[in-house]
């Protein structure tokens, strides 16, 4: 009898690792009007998976510009994010919170992660109000304007005003003592025009109160008091345009009245020492008409050649006639006797740089047109200090005025400050001295100055920057030199230089540098430009402020496998792609799958490889063992620094198919005698089977 037993081992699939979730905001507090971003990180979650978020904080959907309080994201490469912008409303509601719950399945699905709380700071401000008049007193018939200034009050808001002063509605042209106005750009105005009545009622007041809601609403601002002058009592005042005048010139007197009807004729007389013969119209009295409570009188003096000494004009205002009641008297105007010539000279500036000009103005009185006057210089400057080489000269008087100009030579001789003092003379440059100017200081610009400033205080790699060099007293065509005292080196610039030269023209020059957009992670660096004379190792004459170079290099990593499953004895190739990783960088790999070192031909479960041109690769060959162990997994993680360093990329899982099979066959023959057969075990006699 024969018995057969067969056993075949069939491997099963290994269980997958469970997913994990985390969510975190980029800030723990945010002002209204600003933005918050939440970043979601997962493991073992397939790309394309939709996750859901809800807000369990006190903030409502209306607190966000997006008007939402829940939403969804799609996971890509174990990551996703979403952003909310907090509405900058004007409602005072105190701090609020945002607490994000991450869910699977739906907005009401299981919570798989909780974010930390984000506090929303309430930046809404309390409105303020102020009101001020444009005058502190006003005559009847005139207007007052009140300016209302607010903060945090919306455009188009209607505010109200009331008058708490003693003036009543009948005192105003619109017969109103309250009203409203509209705020625009936190400003508004109220205008009040007083009636010009003839009732004698004494001074009254206007005090404007600003209210919200209505004319009986909340009082939020009060103006200062404006006094209303009762112009039913006539007043008069007269004032001259000058306090002294030369013969041949004019003076105007302005008469100001209150309560005097338009068209009223008033009269003037002169109580000074001048007589009718001193004026061009040979008159010493007259009349004028009041219009809008104002009038004027103009008097022109005769330019005689009589030496009579100073005289005076005192205008008296009279009613009814030139012998009527005196109601106002002016201050005294002195008439200068110009029959004796007078001279004055003044410069246009009190100091001047070499290379610039100065003009002297000469004013005379009693000097005939066409008269030649002469100038000499009593200062420390000499003829060689001026472009024309002259230190004296002449000019002509017309209508009692004359002028001349001098231009300073822009020499390079260091001689210190010098002076110009102009003396005016008659007859010749050695004639009688009749006037001396104030001193003009000549600034010696032959002392060279240097300054350098960058066009920005920070710059990204790959961008350009310009330094402007400003000098004083440096000749055109001068070559200056620059060096960099910052932490950047020549390799950080597109031209691979860290020093150079430039040329000065019209006291200015520039240096331009472009940063190399490398991929090396080196952190922020600095540029400090030093200006030197003679050579790049010469004397430092100016140093720029520091420019920060922002390191824009951010390396990236990814890893892919060439197959998703492999039989024992087969090979898997992994390709690693990077950005911003220097050539020759060593990266490391580890296996987080269920396979162990003994499953591979090199008995290793970690290792390293080198990046060149942002690419690298390595292979894993499976051992074709005879052990029945079921399917296993190979999950490669890429790390920096060492095999226990930071994980920067993870490959998708590769399934290792178990191809081992084991057989056990037993033959048992039972019988008597016989010849032997192909039996493992035989007993008794008989022929074999």
């Amino acid at each position: 009898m024969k018995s057969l037993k067969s056993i075949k081992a069939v491997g099963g699939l290994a269980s997958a690792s469970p997913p994990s979730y985390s969510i975190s905001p980029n800030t723990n507090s945010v002002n209204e009007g600003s933005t918050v971003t939440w970043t979601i990180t997962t493991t073992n979650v397939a790309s394309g998976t939709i996750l859901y978020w809800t807000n369990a904080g006190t903030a409502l959907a209306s607190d966000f510009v997006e008007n939402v309080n829940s939403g969804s994201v799609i996971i890509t490469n174990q990551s996703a994010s979403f952003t909310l912008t907090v509405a900058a409303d004007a409602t005072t509601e105190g701090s609020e919170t945002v607490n994000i719950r991450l869910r699977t399945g739906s907005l009401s699905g299981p919570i798989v992660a909780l974010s930390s709380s984000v506090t929303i700071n309430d930046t809404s401000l309390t409105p303020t109000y102020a009101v001020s008049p444009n005058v502190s007193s006003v005559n009847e018939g005139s207007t007052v304007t009140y300016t209302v200034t607010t903060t945090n009050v919306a455009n188009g808001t209607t505010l109200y005003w009331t008058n708490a002063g003693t003036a009543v509605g009948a005192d105003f042209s619109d017969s109103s003592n309250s009203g409203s106005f509209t705020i625009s750009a936190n400003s508004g105005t109220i205008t009040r025009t007083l009636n010009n009545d003839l009732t004698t009622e004494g001074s009254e007041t206007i005090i404007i109160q600003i209210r919200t809601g209505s004319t009986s609403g909340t009082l939020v601002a009060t103006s200062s008091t404006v006094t209303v002058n009762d112009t039913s009592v006539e007043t008069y005042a007269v004032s001259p345009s000058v306090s002294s005048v030369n013969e041949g010139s004019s003076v105007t007197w302005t008469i100001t009245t209150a309560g005097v009807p338009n068209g009223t004729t008033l009269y003037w007389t002169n109580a000074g020492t001048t007589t009718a013969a001193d004026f061009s119209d040979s008159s010493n009295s007259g009349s004028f008409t009041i219009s809008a409570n104002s009038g004027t009188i103009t008097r022109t003096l005769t330019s005689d050649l009589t030496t009579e000494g100073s005289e005076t004009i005192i205008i008296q205002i009279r009613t009814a006639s030139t012998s009527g009641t005196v109601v106002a008297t002016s201050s005294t105007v002195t008439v200068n006797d110009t029959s004796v010539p007078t001279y004055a000279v003044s410069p246009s500036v009190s100091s001047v740089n070499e290379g610039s000009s100065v003009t002297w103005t000469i004013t005379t009185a009693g000097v005939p047109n066409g008269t030649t006057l002469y100038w000499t210089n009593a200062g420390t400057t000499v003829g060689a200090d001026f472009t024309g080489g002259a230190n004296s000269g002449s000019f002509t008087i017309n209508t009692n005025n004359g002028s001349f100009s001098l231009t300073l030579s822009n020499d390079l001789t260091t001689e210190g400050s010098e002076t110009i003092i102009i003396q005016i003379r008659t007859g010749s440059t050695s004639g009688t001295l009749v006037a001396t100017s104030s001193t003009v200081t000549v600034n010696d610009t032959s002392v060279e100055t240097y300054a350098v400033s960058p066009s920005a205080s920070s710059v990204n790699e790959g961008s350009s920057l310009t330094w402007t060099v400003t000098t004083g007293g440096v000749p055109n065509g001068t070559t200056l030199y620059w060096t960099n005292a910052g932490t950047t080196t020549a390799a950080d610039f597109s031209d691979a230089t860290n020093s150079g030269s430039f040329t000065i023209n019209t006291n200015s020059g520039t240096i331009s540098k472009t940063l190399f957009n490398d991929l090396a992670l080196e952190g922020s660096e600095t540029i400090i430009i030093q200006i030197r004379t003679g050579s790049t190792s010469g004397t430092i004459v100016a140093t720029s402020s520091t420019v920060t170079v922002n390191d824009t290099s951010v390396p990236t990593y990814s890893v892919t496998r060439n197959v998703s499953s492999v039989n024992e004895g087969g090979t898997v190739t992994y390709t690693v792609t990077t950005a911003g990783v220097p050539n020759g960088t060593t990266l490391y790999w580890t296996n987080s799958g269920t396979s162990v070192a003994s499953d591979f031909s090199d008995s290793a479960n970690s290792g390293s490889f080198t990046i060149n041109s942002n690419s690298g690769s390595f292979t894993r060959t499976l051992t074709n063992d005879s052990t029945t162990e079921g399917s296993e997994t190979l999950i490669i993680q890429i790390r920096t620094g060492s095999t226990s360093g930071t994980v920067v990329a993870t490959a998708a899982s590769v399934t290792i198919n178990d191809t081992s099979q084991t057989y056990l066959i037993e033959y048992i023959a039972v019988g008597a005698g016989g010849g032997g057969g192909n039996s493992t075990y035989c007993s008794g006699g008989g022929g074999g089977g």
Side-chain angles (χ1 to χ4, degrees):
M1 173 177 160
K2 185 185 293 183
S3 173
L4 175 63
K5 181 180 180 181
S6 176
I7 302 172
K8 181 179 181 181
V10 179
L13 291 174
S15 60
S17 299
S20 66
Y21 307 84
S22 66
I23 180 169
S24 61
N26 66 334
T27 182
N28 291 325
S29 69
V30 63
N31 291 335
E32 291 182 332
S34 298
T35 297
V36 190
T37 296
W38 282 264
T39 299
I40 298 159
T41 305
T42 65
T43 60
N44 303 315
V45 175
S47 291
T49 298
I50 298 175
L51 298 180
Y52 299 84
W53 62 266
T54 57
N55 175 20
T58 58
L60 307 174
S62 59
D63 289 312
F64 300 104
V65 171
E66 296 82 3
N67 198 31
V68 297
N69 220 11
S70 61
S72 63
V73 296
I74 299 174
I75 294 298
T76 302
N77 293 330
Q78 306 297 338
S79 181
S81 66
F82 66 92
T83 297
L84 294 176
T85 300
V86 183
D89 59 47
T91 306
T92 301
E93 56 213 334
S95 294
E96 298 174 286
T97 59
V98 187
N99 295 322
I100 297 300
R101 304 292 187 254
L102 189 65
R103 300 172 181 269
T104 58
S106 69
L107 294 175
S108 58
I111 297 172
V112 293
L114 307 174
S115 78
S116 58
S117 182
V118 176
T119 300
I120 299 175
N121 304 313
D122 186 3
T123 57
S124 54
L125 301 176
T126 303
T128 64
Y129 307 81
V131 56
S132 61
N134 64 329
V135 292
S136 59
S137 67
V138 62
N139 291 335
E140 291 179 326
S142 297
T143 298
V144 190
T145 298
Y146 292 82
T147 299
V148 180
T149 306
T150 65
T151 62
N152 306 308
V153 175
N155 283 352
T157 299
T158 299
L159 297 180
Y160 300 83
W161 65 266
T162 55
N163 176 19
T166 57
V168 296
D171 290 312
F172 298 96
S173 60
D174 60 1
S175 300
S176 178
N177 218 18
S178 63
S180 64
F181 61 99
T182 302
I183 289 294
S184 177
N186 277 309
S187 183
T189 57
I190 306 160
T191 301
R192 307 303 296 133
T193 300
L194 280 300
N195 282 329
N196 193 9
D197 60 45
L198 296 178
T199 305
T200 302
E201 52 208 337
S203 294
E204 300 173 281
T205 59
I206 312 172
I207 304 171
I208 293 297
Q209 295 177 322
I210 306 302
R211 299 175 179 270
T212 58
S214 69
T215 54
S216 59
T218 302
L219 174 62
V220 292
T222 301
S223 76
S224 58
T225 299
V226 174
T227 301
V228 180
N229 303 314
D230 186 2
T231 57
S232 56
V233 179
E234 296 175 351
T235 61
Y236 306 83
V238 57
S239 62
S241 57
V242 292
S243 60
S244 68
V245 61
N246 290 335
E247 291 179 335
S249 298
S250 297
V251 189
T252 296
W253 284 262
T254 299
I255 297 87
T256 305
T257 64
V260 176
N262 284 349
T264 297
T265 299
L266 294 179
Y267 300 84
W268 64 269
T269 55
N270 176 13
T273 59
T274 47
T275 64
D278 289 312
F279 297 98
S280 60
D281 61 359
S282 301
S283 176
N284 218 16
S285 62
S287 64
F288 60 94
T289 302
I290 289 295
S291 177
N293 280 310
S294 184
T296 59
I297 306 161
T298 299
R299 309 300 295 135
T300 301
L301 280 297
T302 301
S303 183
D304 59 45
L305 296 177
T306 305
T307 301
E308 54 211 334
S310 294
E311 298 176 286
T312 60
I313 312 172
I314 303 172
I315 295 295
Q316 294 176 321
I317 305 301
R318 298 173 179 265
T319 57
S321 69
T322 54
S323 58
T325 302
V326 176
V327 291
T329 300
S330 76
S331 58
T332 299
V333 175
T334 300
V335 179
N336 303 313
D337 187 1
T338 57
S339 54
V340 177
T342 61
Y343 306 83
V345 56
S346 61
S348 56
V349 293
S350 59
S351 68
V352 62
N353 291 335
E354 291 180 334
S356 298
S357 298
V358 190
T359 297
W360 282 265
T361 300
I362 297 85
T363 306
T364 65
V367 175
N369 284 351
T371 298
T372 299
L373 295 180
Y374 300 84
W375 64 268
T376 55
N377 176 15
T380 59
T381 46
V382 296
D385 290 313
F386 301 101
T387 56
N391 215 22
S392 62
S394 64
F395 59 94
T396 302
I397 290 295
N398 280 298
T399 61
N400 281 310
N401 279 280
S403 66
F404 65 92
S405 298
L406 293 175
T407 300
L408 280 298
S409 296
N410 193 10
D411 59 49
L412 295 177
T413 305
T414 302
E415 55 214 333
S417 294
E418 298 176 285
T419 60
I420 312 172
I421 303 171
I422 294 298
Q423 296 176 322
I424 304 302
R425 298 175 180 270
T426 58
S428 70
T429 55
S430 58
T432 302
L433 175 62
V434 292
T436 301
S437 76
S438 58
T439 299
V440 174
T441 300
V442 179
N443 304 313
D444 186 3
T445 57
S446 56
V447 179
E448 296 173 351
T449 61
Y450 305 83
V452 57
S453 61
S455 57
S457 60
S458 66
V459 63
N460 290 336
E461 292 180 331
S463 298
S464 297
L465 197 64
T466 298
W467 286 262
T468 299
V469 181
T470 306
T471 63
V474 176
N476 283 353
T478 297
T479 298
L480 295 179
Y481 299 84
W482 65 268
T483 54
N484 176 13
T487 59
T488 46
T489 63
D492 290 309
F493 298 98
S494 60
D495 60 2
T497 64
N498 217 17
S499 62
S501 63
F502 60 96
T503 302
I504 290 295
N505 280 300
T506 61
N507 281 312
S508 183
T510 58
I511 305 159
S512 293
K513 298 295 290 174
T514 299
L515 277 300
F516 184 64
N517 193 9
D518 60 46
L519 296 175
L521 287 175
E522 54 214 337
S524 293
E525 297 177 285
T526 59
I527 313 173
I528 303 171
I529 294 297
Q530 295 176 320
I531 305 303
R532 298 174 181 264
T533 56
S535 69
T536 54
S537 58
T539 302
I540 296 172
V541 292
T543 301
S544 76
S545 58
T546 299
V547 174
T548 301
V549 179
N550 304 313
D551 186 3
T552 56
S553 320
V554 179
T556 62
Y557 306 83
S558 65
V559 55
T560 58
R561 77 281 202 262
N562 66 328
V563 293
S564 60
S565 67
V566 63
N567 291 335
E568 290 180 334
T571 297
V572 185
T573 298
Y574 289 88
T575 300
V576 179
T577 305
T578 65
V581 176
N583 284 352
T585 298
T586 298
L587 296 179
Y588 299 84
W589 63 266
T590 55
N591 175 16
S592 64
T594 58
S595 52
V596 295
S598 60
D599 290 315
F600 299 95
S601 61
D602 58 2
S603 299
N605 218 15
S606 62
S608 65
F609 59 96
T610 302
I611 290 294
N612 279 297
S613 300
N614 279 311
S615 183
S617 65
F618 57 92
T619 59
R620 306 303 299 133
T621 300
L622 279 300
T623 301
N624 193 5
D625 59 41
S626 59
T627 305
T628 301
E629 53 213 335
S631 292
E632 297 175 286
T633 58
L634 173 58
I635 303 172
I636 292 298
Q637 296 177 316
I638 306 302
R639 298 174 181 264
T640 58
S642 69
T643 55
S644 59
T646 303
V647 175
V648 293
T650 301
S653 180
V654 174
T655 301
I656 302 170
N657 304 312
D658 186 2
T659 57
S660 23
Q661 293 181 342
T662 301
Y663 299 90
L664 175 61
I665 304 174
E666 294 180 357
Y667 294 90
I668 301 173
V670 180
N678 290 328
S679 298
T680 303
Y681 301 101
C682 296
S683 62

